[in-house]
Amino acid sequence: MNMVFGGFHTTFSIVFFIVTIGFIIILTSIIITILKNLATWSENNHSPQLTVSATIVAKRTLYHRHVNDITRMHNHRITSTYYVTFQFESGDRMEFCVNGSEYGLLAEGDTGTLCFQGTRYLSFEREK
């Protein structure tokens, strides 16, 4: 009887160890992501606002599918993230995340004035 209880205790200890390590890894990942986002936000806030001539050379959409695995129901939602790539007169390119309404107004080949701060897109005014 002691042997069975001892085996249970050993199995429980291993499972507890694995769950604890998994929790620590997930928590660490979340903390690192938050710190990276705060660093980017701070860096953007300390960057100068630049206004430059640019041309839109590409647009893309990234779709994320979110499924509710807890209830095992078929409810899911899809979110979209929109990106626009601008090319400067120097030939350098930068890609910015933009909101959906802004994305819809921009077209590849448009030339105009881009305003941005660090990696944060602020506006684009098309040449007439």
Side-chain angles (χ1 to χ4, degrees), residues 40-80:
T40 299
W41 177 80
S42 178
E43 188 175 314
N44 284 338
N45 285 343
H46 290 93
S47 295
Q49 285 189 12
L50 299 176
T51 303
V52 297
S53 295
T55 301
I56 298 172
V57 293
K59 293 172 58 175
R60 70 182 177 97
T61 306
L62 182 62
Y63 298 101
H64 305 275
R65 182 173 175 222
H66 308 276
V67 179
N68 188 347
D69 285 335
I70 295 172
T71 61
R72 303 282 185 216
M73 297 180 77
H74 293 289
N75 69 353
H76 64 276
R77 62 186 174 91
I78 297 175
T79 58
S80 304

Side-chain angles (χ1 to χ4, degrees), residues 99-116:
N99 65 39
S101 58
E102 190 82 18
Y103 182 85
L105 296 174
L106 301 174
E108 287 184 24
D110 283 352
T111 300
T113 304
L114 170 68
C115 184
F116 65 98

Side-chain angles (χ1 to χ4, degrees), residues 9-27:
H9 181 68
T10 304
T11 303
F12 179 75
S13 295
I14 292 170
V15 170
F16 181 75
F17 176 74
I18 291 171
V19 168
T20 302
I21 294 298
F23 177 76
I24 290 170
I25 290 171
I26 291 170
L27 186 61

